[in-house]
Amino acid sequence: MAEQRPVQRRPTLADVAAAAGVSRATASRAMSGGPNVSPAARERVWAAVERLGFEPNHLARSLRRGSTMAIGLLVPDVAIAFYARALKGAQETLERSGYHVLVMNTERAADREAAALRTLRAHQVDGVILATSGGYRDIGVPAVFFDNVPLDIGAGAVALCNEEGIGLLVDHLVDVHGHERIAYLGPPAAVMPGEVVSTHRSGRERLDGFRAAMGRAGLALPPEYVRTSDARLTDTVATALTTELLALDRAPTAIVAGADTLTLGVLEALHEQRVRVPDDIAVVSFDEPTHAGLLDPPVTSLDRHDRQLGCRAAELLLAALGGGDGGTTESAIERVPLELRVRRSCGCPVG
Amino acid sequence: MAEQRPVQRRPTLADVAAAAGVSRATASRAMSGGPNVSPAARERVWAAVERLGFEPNHLARSLRRGSTMAIGLLVPDVAIAFYARALKGAQETLERSGYHVLVMNTERAADREAAALRTLRAHQVDGVILATSGGYRDIGVPAVFFDNVPLDIGAGAVALCNEEGIGLLVDHLVDVHGHERIAYLGPPAAVMPGEVVSTHRSGRERLDGFRAAMGRAGLALPPEYVRTSDARLTDTVATALTTELLALDRAPTAIVAGADTLTLGVLEALHEQRVRVPDDIAVVSFDEPTHAGLLDPPVTSLDRHDRQLGCRAAELLLAALGGGDGGTTESAIERVPLELRVRRSCGCPVG
DNA sequence: CTGAAAGCGCTTACAG
DNA sequence: CTGAAAGCGCTTACAG
């Protein structure tokens, strides 16, 4: 409306400087709130910024400063509620410190993870947070792991109390409901050919936790009661494995599912086979499936404070970046506790 | 192990050029596969790239080229399954064309959306795709809308067949199950104070669709049968509104929920009040809640091909960017059809 | 086919 | 308090 500029070009710092009648250096200093700028100059610069609708070019700034204020976030799949919530927690924390977040999906494939890391490096991210699927390699910036943690934990790691969590589930089945034939269906726990050793740490911990809890309870654990899914935790694989469990001579009376997608697969199989939960078989779940309370039946599971996991990972990274305070300097794996949410699938007469 | 370099500094194009014994210009041309490079030079450059583990700095490249190959993606909340899936569809399509995606959550707040757009502009994204919550403003790059579409549709828009979709649901309730007292609980359809006119277009379309379908069926529609939620589609709000519906003198025998989170809120209220679905009341849902089939009861809903919606939006943007082929050049709202998925919550004896 | 040079938009010692 | 100058790492006309 007012003056029509010859070009639609976005205003640059030079435009602002010209409009304010100062040098680019002074304009820059005024904008960044740095010292050594006269109040008068500062005011003219701000006025020009306002008038021109100037917004500094992040690219140029990052290139010059050597820091992008960007953090890469690698997850297997944002469409999985757990990762989506953890992501939001991390994002919120990071944005509060002026960082922004680049999200990449790895689809639980090590090579896609490696490719994503390369991309992130090309974009000069200042750090990464990742739920690794085994494709991690150092890209020269601090890395914080969450959910699944490799042997070398980099700048920090946040994981769940996997063993204790499974223990809570088993103990409940045994102590409250008197189950003796309990099967386990969890994430892979062994090293797959061609994979990095670290990948299945949390799967291993959960399985160890299961064995330990069964041992403590003095219960027999036939090998056919222990099943592990594919690396992608595909629900249809869980459905197939559950069907196998049901076909056993002495079928289990309870199933502990070691991850939320697996739980849904288990329920799917049970629905298909018209096996009633919890009447015919009890089901408990390591993670909370989305809307666990509205499922048929409501699923007893472990609440793992997804958001908090993301927040905490972000805080550790901020600490590593020298910004925030990670709360701790020792680089041990930090464990987030789990809480048992009793619903109906275990046999309790709740909700 | 081999040679230890003095600095841990990342190799730059200059390092590659030096190592290959050519100028930076030639190295650059060799890398980008451009013409006018001798095979010998090309080979030496590639060898140097390999040896040094060089990866071009995207920041510098983007600054120089004036294009970042980055696309901003704005959604209300990635933790909502629909958006997560649409995001993945868009991301896949864009990455196949060499773009990468910056995701931002707006929490359905217009001001957060505006702030996110400013950030995106600062990062010089080449385009944006957004499910707007009313905070859109032009940032000088092509914009494609999906899900919710403003009056000025920018470079393109993909939306659902809102009216037809609601029609499918109502028709099913009427034709198959003979319902006559059908209530509607959907997203806001009216302009809120201080909001951009465009925000609630899809809410309006769904409500219009509901009224139209009821009219076609010759059914009465008492005003108290029509409820709209808050702008954020909070499930607890839906729970409260459902409770009100149940308390009506002549309570409805069926509820059409106009969005997935609302559906979950409706079910929550029904569970709380021990109202049985579909025995006491039928429920149908516009969107598919996650694992609609495992809910109690499995929910009859509209499958809206979330991923495809994201893909299509991405294709339109690519077309606007002059890259891909959008399939169409006219800038009308593109509509994605919806399919009825019959399950048990409507009263059908399925699943 | 090749290289010297300019420049993308910013920031930051360095002199004044 | 201020500005001239160099430089972040790349690309691209332009001359040869």
Side-chain angles (χ1 to χ4, degrees):
Chain A
M1 310 280 184
E3 320 99 302
Q4 59 184 77
R5 288 188 218 92
V7 238
Q8 254 295 38
R9 185 177 58 82
R10 240 127 93 173
T12 72
L13 184 65
D15 300 324
V16 172
V22 298
S23 70
R24 278 144 66 221
T26 299
S28 175
R29 277 189 291 257
M31 287 211 58
S32 65
N36 296 348
V37 185
S38 71
R42 195 180 297 278
E43 196 146 319
R44 271 179 300 145
V45 169
W46 275 114
V49 165
E50 201 69 24
R51 185 149 44 80
L52 270 51
F54 172 72
E55 201 121 21
N57 182 328
H58 245 261
L59 255 36
R61 170 179 289 180
S62 299
L63 181 59
R64 177 59 229 244
R65 285 198 181 153
S67 149
T68 53
M69 296 303 283
I71 301 297
L73 190 16
L74 254 58
V75 293
D77 185 353
V78 283
I80 292 176
F82 162 58
Y83 293 114
R85 287 188 295 243
L87 152 65
K88 284 188 66 182
Q91 186 159 24
E92 211 159 82
T93 303
L94 291 169
E95 285 179 352
R96 209 174 304 123
S97 292
Y99 288 88
H100 66 274
V101 174
L102 259 113
V103 184
M104 316 220 72
N105 288 84
T106 66
E107 309 290 341
R108 290 195 206 280
D111 58 327
R112 294 200 56 159
E113 183 174 325
L117 281 163
R118 268 194 302 280
T119 304
L120 255 19
R121 184 166 81 128
H123 286 278
Q124 319 290 121
V125 293
D126 291 343
V128 293
I129 295 179
L130 65 170
T132 185
S133 298
Y136 177 70
R137 58 173 201 124
D138 189 2
I139 57 168
V141 297
V144 168
F145 299 90
F146 76 102
D147 191 35
N148 205 356
V149 176
L151 297 178
D152 175 357
I153 64 170
V158 192
L160 303 168
C161 298
N162 289 302
E163 298 212 22
E164 294 79 351
I166 291 286
L168 289 174
L169 295 171
V170 173
D171 290 354
H172 181 81
L173 288 173
V174 174
D175 297 346
V176 177
H177 301 286
H179 283 280
E180 297 186 344
R181 280 147 55 193
I182 306 176
Y184 174 79
L185 171 44
V191 180
M192 301 308 221
E195 279 192 328
V196 174
V197 172
S198 55
T199 312
H200 297 305
R201 185 200 282 241
S202 73
R204 155 112 343 250
E205 289 177 353
R206 289 181 201 177
L207 179 52
D208 288 349
F210 181 69
R211 291 192 199 284
M214 291 295 278
R216 278 199 310 274
L219 293 177
L221 182 49
E224 63 270 24
Y225 273 19
V226 173
R227 310 271 165 159
T228 52
S229 74
D230 60 323
R232 311 176 74 130
L233 312 183
T234 317
D235 52 356
T236 52
V237 171
T239 302
L241 292 171
T242 304
T243 309
E244 288 177 26
L245 284 174
L246 294 175
L248 251 30
D249 273 352
R250 282 174 58 86
T253 60
I255 298 179
V256 176
D260 54 1
T261 53
L262 300 179
T263 304
L264 295 166
V266 169
L267 289 182
E268 192 68 59
L270 268 19
H271 278 222
E272 267 173 21
Q273 310 269 324
R274 314 267 173 220
V275 177
R276 321 202 45 173
V277 183
D279 311 45
D280 302 332
I281 193 166
V283 173
V284 294
S285 168
F286 188 87
D287 308 312
E288 289 234 294
T290 350
H291 304 289
L294 290 179
L295 291 173
D296 177 25
V299 175
T300 295
S301 50
L302 296 176
D303 181 349
R304 54 179 176 183
H305 306 292
D306 308 346
R307 282 184 79 92
Q308 197 196 315
L309 197 64
C311 288
R312 201 63 198 112
E315 285 168 1
L316 287 179
L317 185 61
L318 288 173
L321 291 170
D325 174 19
T328 170
T329 41
E330 49 191 315
S331 72
I333 300 181
E334 190 169 316
R335 296 283 175 170
V336 173
L338 297 156
E339 265 174 74
L340 185 65
R341 290 261 176 275
V342 174
R343 297 200 184 82
R344 277 234 315 282
S345 67
C346 57
C348 281
V350 210
Chain B
M1 310 286 182
E3 322 97 303
Q4 57 184 75
R5 287 187 219 89
V7 237
Q8 253 298 37
R9 183 175 61 81
R10 240 125 96 172
T12 72
L13 185 64
D15 300 322
V16 172
V22 297
S23 70
R24 279 146 65 223
T26 300
S28 175
R29 277 189 291 256
M31 289 211 56
S32 65
N36 295 349
V37 185
S38 70
R42 196 180 297 277
E43 197 147 316
R44 272 180 297 147
V45 169
W46 275 114
V49 165
E50 201 70 22
R51 185 148 46 80
L52 271 49
F54 172 72
E55 201 121 22
N57 183 327
H58 245 260
L59 255 37
R61 171 180 287 180
S62 300
L63 181 59
R64 178 57 230 246
R65 286 199 181 150
S67 148
T68 53
M69 297 302 284
I71 300 298
L73 189 17
L74 255 57
V75 293
D77 185 352
V78 282
I80 292 176
F82 163 58
Y83 293 113
R85 288 189 295 244
L87 153 63
K88 283 188 66 181
Q91 186 159 22
E92 211 159 83
T93 303
L94 291 169
E95 286 179 352
R96 210 175 302 125
S97 292
Y99 288 89
H100 66 274
V101 174
L102 260 114
V103 184
M104 316 217 73
N105 288 83
T106 65
E107 309 290 341
R108 292 195 204 280
D111 58 328
R112 293 199 56 158
E113 183 174 325
L117 282 162
R118 269 194 301 279
T119 302
L120 255 20
R121 183 166 82 129
H123 287 278
Q124 319 290 122
V125 293
D126 292 344
V128 292
I129 295 179
L130 64 171
T132 187
S133 298
Y136 178 71
R137 60 176 198 120
D138 189 1
I139 57 168
V141 296
V144 168
F145 298 90
F146 77 102
D147 190 37
N148 206 356
V149 176
L151 296 179
D152 175 357
I153 65 169
V158 191
L160 303 168
C161 299
N162 289 302
E163 298 211 24
E164 293 79 351
I166 291 285
L168 288 174
L169 294 171
V170 172
D171 291 353
H172 181 81
L173 289 173
V174 174
D175 297 346
V176 177
H177 301 286
H179 283 280
E180 297 186 343
R181 280 145 56 191
I182 306 176
Y184 174 81
L185 170 44
V191 180
M192 303 306 222
E195 280 191 326
V196 173
V197 172
S198 55
T199 313
H200 297 305
R201 184 202 282 239
S202 73
R204 153 108 354 244
E205 288 177 354
R206 290 182 200 176
L207 179 51
D208 287 349
F210 181 69
R211 291 192 199 284
M214 292 294 279
R216 278 199 309 275
L219 293 177
L221 182 49
E224 64 271 24
Y225 273 19
V226 173
R227 309 272 166 158
T228 52
S229 75
D230 60 325
R232 312 176 72 129
L233 312 183
T234 316
D235 52 355
T236 51
V237 171
T239 302
L241 293 171
T242 305
T243 308
E244 289 177 26
L245 284 174
L246 294 174
L248 250 32
D249 272 351
R250 280 174 60 85
T253 61
I255 298 179
V256 176
D260 54 1
T261 53
L262 300 179
T263 304
L264 294 166
V266 169
L267 288 182
E268 191 68 59
L270 267 20
H271 278 223
E272 266 173 23
Q273 309 269 323
R274 313 266 173 223
V275 177
R276 320 202 45 172
V277 184
D279 312 44
D280 301 333
I281 193 167
V283 173
V284 294
S285 169
F286 188 85
D287 308 311
E288 288 234 294
T290 350
H291 303 288
L294 291 179
L295 291 174
D296 177 25
V299 175
T300 294
S301 51
L302 296 177
D303 181 349
R304 53 179 177 183
H305 306 291
D306 307 345
R307 283 184 77 91
Q308 196 196 316
L309 197 64
C311 288
R312 202 63 199 110
E315 286 168 0
L316 287 179
L317 184 60
L318 287 173
L321 291 170
D325 174 18
T328 170
T329 41
E330 48 190 316
S331 72
I333 299 182
E334 189 169 318
R335 295 283 175 171
V336 173
L338 296 156
E339 266 176 73
L340 185 65
R341 290 259 175 278
V342 174
R343 297 200 184 81
R344 279 234 314 283
S345 67
C346 56
C348 281
V350 210

